[in-house]
Amino acid sequence: MFKYVWLIVLGGSLLLGGPVESVLAQGASEEVTETYVEPEWDSGNIAWMLTSSALVLMMTAPGLALFYGGLVRKKNILGVMMQCVFLMGLMSIVWALWGYSLAFGGSGGFIGNFDYVLLNGVIPTWDAAQGVSVVPAVDNGIPHSVFMVFQGMFFIITPALICGAFAERMKFSAMCLYMVLWGTLVYCPIAHWVWGPGGWLLEGPYAALDFAGGTVVHISSGVSALVASILIGRRLGFGQEPMPPHNLTYTAIGAALLWVGWFGFNAGSAVAANAVAANAFVATHLAAAGGVISWSAAEWLLRGKPSILGGCSGAVAGLVCITPAAGAVNPIHGILLGLIAGYICFLGCTTIKNRFGYDDSLDAFGVHGIGGTVGALLTGVFATRAITGDAEVYGLIEGGVQQFVNQVIGVAAAAALSIVGTLIILKILDATVGLRVSQDDEIQGLDLSQHGEEGYIFL
């Protein structure tokens, strides 16, 4: 039976697309017709990309798990942590089976194909005729599987970010179904637009700059989070009873882990241990520093005291903002991006949120949606040829009006698909399995009602 499944998958791959024309050196549809010559591996690049992959995985757990876990009430900490840990498993499988292929397969403008389904053409195969193991490679001298797993870590953390918007009230079963559908129908198309071979936001007249995921990760997750928080509704007692974070110590530790992991997130997106990675690393660090100062200063001036929550949130805002720009701006510009993002995201999580009254529990939209949008647009302002290395790619400060326009188009397109996709998926799930836990379960807390466990046992 299994061999027939393989025949169907491989047959569909041949019908739906030819060889991939991209940074990938060997596509799934290529066949070895000549004597196989092992690629010239670059051990430095391989080591850096494996390290970066591990750093990005660390961002989901323990990083995001602790950051989000400390912000909820103590009866929901395990629920948040379980979402992060379970998504590490669930989204990894989806990525390997079909997600990577839809994001990076083929050469169409809007969606990938089935070239890499079940990691066909990605993992080593045995060539019986030549008696050798054929290891697919990509540019920069790394195995294709390394590039695939690095991108897979982005596929894990992006839906996990959305969980902050509906924390403390969504069914675990509905969350799982939503993330599989969202990852397939929203994330994969946007990733292909921006990073996939032939993507309409990567090549052609609308090419936008998104080095490490301003649109792919932060705008998509942040905008989807806002839609989800509104559709699912407010938590019981929201606006009527206090819901303070139960453990800011966890949040501070999580923020520190996110800061460290972000070096893999951004500098790793150079896909090599080179000068581009070095610039991204330094710019990333300084943007986070700027975010800490900006958010804390805003609190200090407006509320009289700077808080650890504000400092941590500012750091994340700066990191989000620099993500699309890390390969296009210099480190001094990174400071400016962090300062701007820290203040604007502070307003988004306070003034804007309070004015409209939506319950974005952990400010997924306020930090990631707003911060990602600000970062994508400022990339079109501060991008410089000295960093892009391309005489045709530069921002407003160097007279590049078209690049700024392209950034606006990229932001609008990513937001539009995220809104429409999330609306459709959640409406279908609400009509079938239901989105929200019962009132009794919400009062009891998700730790017990959804998982039968307690985060804290007091004897």
Side-chain angles (χ1 to χ4, degrees), residues 34-372:
E34 300 177 355
T35 301
Y36 173 70
V37 177
E38 185 175 8
E40 186 175 341
W41 304 116
D42 188 314
S43 59
N45 288 346
I46 294 173
W48 171 237
M49 293 309 299
L50 290 173
T51 301
S52 295
S53 299
L55 287 170
V56 179
L57 182 63
M58 183 187 73
M59 292 173 68
T60 301
L64 189 66
L66 284 169
F67 185 81
Y68 275 176
L71 293 176
V72 297
R73 290 167 288 181
K74 63 182 180 181
K75 64 183 179 180
N76 294 309
I77 182 173
L78 295 184
V80 169
M81 289 187 164
M82 179 58 173
Q83 288 173 344
C84 291
V85 172
F86 194 80
L87 287 174
M88 290 170 69
L90 179 64
M91 304 312 288
S92 295
I93 301 301
V94 172
W95 188 248
L97 296 184
W98 68 81
Y100 178 69
S101 191
L102 292 178
F104 288 93
S107 57
F110 298 98
I111 189 65
N113 61 12
F114 298 118
D115 278 351
Y116 301 131
V117 165
L118 303 180
L119 299 185
N120 177 48
V122 176
I123 54 180
T125 57
W126 180 254
D127 186 335
Q130 300 187 66
V132 296
S133 174
V134 178
V135 182
V138 300
D139 286 349
N140 301 326
I142 65 174
H144 195 162
S145 59
V146 174
F147 178 77
M148 179 278 300
V149 79
F150 175 70
Q151 290 294 335
M153 301 309 176
F154 287 63
F155 190 65
I156 292 170
I157 194 171
T158 305
L161 296 173
I162 303 174
C163 293
F166 50 69
E168 304 192 305
R169 59 197 189 276
M170 190 175 190
K171 287 182 180 178
F172 185 72
S173 57
M175 186 279 299
C176 294
L177 291 171
Y178 169 60
M179 293 310 180
V180 171
L181 293 171
W182 186 90
T184 302
L185 302 175
V186 177
Y187 182 94
C188 287
I190 296 176
H192 189 81
W193 297 354
V194 176
W195 294 330
W200 72 278
L201 289 176
L202 177 68
E203 305 173 11
Y206 305 110
L209 294 170
D210 187 357
F211 188 70
T215 51
V216 180
V217 175
H218 298 295
I219 293 175
S220 69
S221 64
V223 171
S224 296
L226 177 63
V227 174
S229 69
I230 294 172
L231 281 183
I232 295 173
R234 303 175 181 178
R235 288 168 289 179
L236 295 175
F238 178 76
Q240 300 173 344
E241 61 184 65
M243 298 180 178
H246 89 283
N247 194 327
L248 287 177
T249 303
Y250 287 171
T251 297
I253 295 172
L257 290 168
L258 287 170
W259 191 329
V260 174
W262 227 290
F263 293 129
F265 199 92
N266 284 2
S269 292
V271 198
N274 57 18
V276 176
N279 181 83
F281 191 108
V282 178
T284 296
H285 179 66
L286 292 179
V292 171
I293 301 302
S294 180
W295 193 305
S296 298
E299 281 191 325
W300 209 339
L301 291 171
L302 298 175
R303 298 178 175 177
K305 296 178 181 179
S307 69
I308 183 63
L309 177 56
C312 291
S313 299
V316 175
L319 291 164
V320 169
C321 187
I322 194 62
T323 294
V329 306
N330 66 44
I332 299 301
H333 294 151
I335 296 176
L336 294 175
L337 264 67
L339 291 171
I340 294 169
Y343 181 66
I344 293 179
C345 289
F346 169 76
L347 294 178
C349 296
T350 54
T351 304
I352 296 175
K353 181 179 177 180
N354 293 335
R355 178 170 297 177
F356 290 97
Y358 56 86
D359 185 12
D360 176 8
S361 308
L362 310 182
D363 293 313
F365 172 71
V367 173
H368 297 279
I370 293 177

